[in-house]
Amino acid sequence: MADGRGRGVRQLRDLRRLLPLPSGRAPVRRRDRRGRGRHQHLDGDADGELVVTAATAYRPDPHTGAVFVFDPVAGERVVPEQASVWVEGTWLQNANGTLPVGDLDHDGTAELLVGEANMDWEAPGRIFVYRGPDLGRHTTTDEAWLTVDPIEPHSNTGWSLGIGDPNDDGEPDLLLGEYNAEPHGQITVVPGPAIAWDAEDGLLLSGSGDDDSFGTFLSVADLDGDGVDDVVVSAHVGGGGGERRGSAYVFLGPITGPIDSSQAAIRIHGETDLAWMGAGVVTGDFDGDGATDLVVAAPSDWYFSYHRPGLVYLFRGPLSPGELRAEDAAVIWRGSEGGEQLGWSMAACDLDGDGDDELVVGAPGTAMGEELRGRVYVVDPL
């Protein structure tokens, strides 16, 4: 298999640098209206923070999760007891791996969004917003600055979250992934300003056709270079023209009314059955050209095709409307071993301070000896 520029499939075995940090870390990061990543700090100082989620097993009650905020030191291993802030709740998590932050109240410090996706797969889920200056050493969900309740029952609201301005009105909008909403899943775009967020005022991006779990993963960025935020949404369990091939859709801004996946401007479908295309999506400027790139993963169905290594596709921005295929990818990475399921989690961040994003890719199925311990890869440059 070769990509559109003749580079062929790359194996991460040849490119990887292991992160010398605890598994699960994710840099605090926000995106401005132009889609470029910028660091934003919760405490207002010059140093970034490290946000880590423990979704289900922080306390003896398996449904009590926590979010930890650390002030990390390079090369230092940290444990939960060292967190400067922790937030406790029930099943606190965010499926994309990084919790959105942004200066929502224009006070110069960031706010932290936390999704309480569900407790027993029947709960609707909630969103909690915490002001940076108000975060204490130990914070509970009762102390949130804002709480956003869903309108769709049993929808698992909060499994994926995003902040951006896809309606181009200059105010930050909240995007709520509700992959369990009937009939195919949906994204609710709640218009800003943040203090007035109300899910009942939201407009819907919804799945259609054979989509399934539409809204499990999302990302917000300017992918076509017009200065307006666009929205990437996955339906990774959907058919995609076959059995659970999966799909990712790009809805170009400005978005001002309801729209479903059949009307998405850009479509990416899995190449093979059980590929689960879209089980990871992330955006960033990985080549330093000023345009936002799109990365989509197909780690494979973890029930029926767990032996596959997984594939990760990079599509260089700016993107144009139409259907993207594997051969359109500038780079394709394949997992280094069968069952690695490369791409189940991904993040974009500037780890080395050179101004360009690095791609951080998780591979939960990596074996070390007889144990499945997982691995995190950092790719730079592309």
Side-chain angles (χ1 to χ4, degrees):
M1 182 187 297
D3 71 275
R5 303 187 184 185
R7 298 184 183 181
V9 176
R10 298 186 179 185
Q11 285 195 355
L12 275 175
R13 179 187 307 220
D14 303 320
L15 295 176
R16 72 178 183 238
R17 281 192 292 143
L18 285 179
L19 269 175
L21 296 162
S23 174
R25 68 168 280 174
V28 172
R29 176 181 181 81
R30 79 177 177 94
R31 296 196 174 277
D32 66 14
R33 295 186 61 227
R34 304 307 176 193
R36 295 301 305 272
R38 293 193 296 175
H39 292 287
Q40 188 76 7
H41 307 309
L42 291 167
D43 56 9
D45 66 12
D47 300 319
E49 291 83 29
L50 173 65
V51 178
V52 180
T53 61
T56 60
Y58 174 57
R59 296 296 187 190
D61 179 352
H63 294 307
T64 298
V67 174
F68 303 97
V69 180
F70 298 95
D71 296 309
V73 177
E76 180 180 287
R77 193 173 184 88
V78 295
V79 295
E81 289 74 17
Q82 295 173 278
S84 58
V85 172
W86 70 76
V87 181
E88 289 187 16
T90 53
W91 212 295
L92 292 174
Q93 65 180 332
N94 177 266
N96 283 322
T98 54
L99 295 159
V101 294
D103 185 6
L104 303 177
D105 58 359
H106 310 293
D107 68 347
T109 58
E111 276 65 60
L112 176 67
L113 272 71
V114 180
E116 187 179 54
N118 65 332
M119 189 171 73
D120 57 8
W121 299 102
E122 293 296 325
R126 294 177 294 175
I127 310 302
F128 302 98
V129 184
Y130 298 91
R131 294 181 68 252
D134 295 340
L135 285 169
R137 179 75 169 84
H138 183 195
T139 303
T140 67
T141 52
D142 294 334
E143 300 171 81
W145 175 53
L146 294 173
T147 300
V148 182
D149 295 309
I151 57 175
E152 180 78 19
H154 317 308
S155 60
N156 299 119
T157 300
W159 189 268
S160 58
L161 299 172
I163 297 176
D165 187 18
N167 63 5
D168 198 33
D169 67 353
E171 293 288 351
D173 305 322
L174 172 65
L175 287 83
L176 307 177
E178 300 172 283
Y179 74 89
N180 208 33
E182 295 292 341
H184 305 288
Q186 65 191 30
I187 300 289
T188 300
V189 183
V190 185
I195 194 64
W197 278 345
D198 186 336
E200 292 189 359
D201 297 330
L203 61 88
L204 298 182
L205 310 179
S206 54
S208 63
D210 64 355
D211 287 337
D212 193 6
S213 295
F214 178 92
T216 309
F217 302 93
L218 68 90
S219 185
V220 185
D222 176 16
L223 288 166
D224 60 356
D226 67 351
V228 180
D229 278 339
D230 311 309
V231 182
V232 185
V233 185
S234 73
H236 71 285
V237 188
E243 181 185 1
R244 296 191 178 192
R245 294 191 175 194
S247 302
Y249 301 98
V250 180
F251 300 87
L252 298 180
I255 300 171
T256 58
I259 188 172
D260 67 40
S261 59
S262 67
Q263 301 167 289
I266 300 171
R267 302 165 300 281
I268 306 169
H269 302 298
E271 288 193 295
T272 60
D273 289 348
L274 306 178
W276 278 22
M277 176 68 88
V281 295
V282 70
T283 53
D285 182 7
F286 300 105
D287 54 9
D289 66 352
T292 304
D293 309 309
L294 172 63
V295 179
V296 182
S300 77
D301 184 315
W302 61 15
Y303 298 109
F304 302 110
S305 59
Y306 59 87
H307 59 282
R308 296 180 183 177
L311 293 165
V312 173
Y313 303 83
L314 168 74
F315 300 94
R316 295 199 190 281
L319 301 181
S320 299
E323 185 166 326
L324 292 177
R325 302 180 182 277
E327 55 263 29
D328 298 317
V331 185
I332 306 172
W333 294 277
R334 189 192 306 276
S336 60
E337 60 186 58
E340 189 169 43
Q341 296 181 320
L342 184 73
W344 257 113
S345 59
M346 299 191 295
C349 48
D350 180 10
L351 291 172
D352 56 10
D354 67 353
D356 299 335
D357 287 323
E358 281 75 60
L359 176 62
V360 185
V361 185
T366 303
M368 297 183 182
E370 296 182 356
E371 298 182 2
L372 293 179
R373 297 191 178 183
R375 178 177 286 145
V376 175
Y377 298 100
V378 178
V379 182
D380 176 44
L382 300 184

